[in-house]
Amino acid sequence: MRNLSATLVVTALAVLAASCSTERSPSFPSSPSPTPSPSLEQQAYARVNEYRRSRGLAALAWNETIAEQARQHSLAMASGRVPFGHDGFDDRLATIRQTIPWSAAAENVAVSRTAAGAVDSWLDSSGHLENIVGNYQLTGVGAAAAGSSVYFTQIFIRPR
């Protein structure tokens, strides 16, 4: 049976993704960089945790299984294999569930030139902000470059 919480989050985020404040590149290079710089992923992760701590919330723990799924989605968006958005979120969650049983999950995506720009766009969106301050314990961030733009994906997980 499908997790209702995850289904509602996916539906809400799919609507919000189209209205995100992002910087988009109209064309895709033939070979996007899977991770333009691992530090971009870590910068986004640190900025989200900094925001959570400023609100009295516990920091999210980094999980490489989650980050790899986020990274693969960012690469797929950067290469144009999937449109900007949340296509395939259920598949990413199914893969994560193979190693991490979870009770709730959410995802944020952004296109920006910087990690700070991506996180700021999420903080300016009520739905994305809800994920950032949500009752999650694990996360992973993936980034992939397409020209001067970087596609970011952050997945949030509440383990069982």
Side-chain angles (χ1 to χ4, degrees), residues 32-36 41 71 73-76 78-79 142-146 149-152:
S33 170
T35 307
E41 294 174 353
R71 208 170 283 126
H73 184 55
S74 291
L75 181 59
S79 69
S149 295
V150 180
Y151 288 74
F152 290 88

Side-chain angles (χ1 to χ4, degrees), residues 46-70:
R47 194 170 181 95
V48 164
N49 274 337
E50 182 180 300
Y51 183 84
R52 286 178 59 91
R53 282 191 294 274
S54 77
R55 300 303 186 265
L57 300 169
L60 298 166
W62 180 271
N63 180 280
E64 191 56 33
T65 297
I66 298 168
E68 182 58 26
Q69 289 304 303

Side-chain angles (χ1 to χ4, degrees), residues 70-140:
R71 208 170 283 126
Q72 290 302 315
H73 184 55
S74 291
L75 181 59
M77 290 187 296
S79 69
R81 288 192 322 256
V82 299
F84 175 76
H86 301 282
D87 286 9
F89 185 50
D90 287 340
D91 295 333
R92 289 187 288 287
L93 292 180
T95 299
I96 292 167
R97 182 165 279 174
Q98 292 174 9
T99 56
I100 306 167
W102 53 265
S103 61
E107 177 177 80
N108 287 351
V109 297
V111 181
S112 181
R113 296 183 192 281
T114 65
V119 174
D120 287 349
S121 72
W122 293 334
L123 295 174
D124 288 340
S125 162
S126 61
H128 295 92
L129 176 61
E130 185 176 322
N131 294 336
I132 289 171
V133 299
N135 183 17
Y136 301 104
Q137 290 78 38
L138 302 175
T139 195

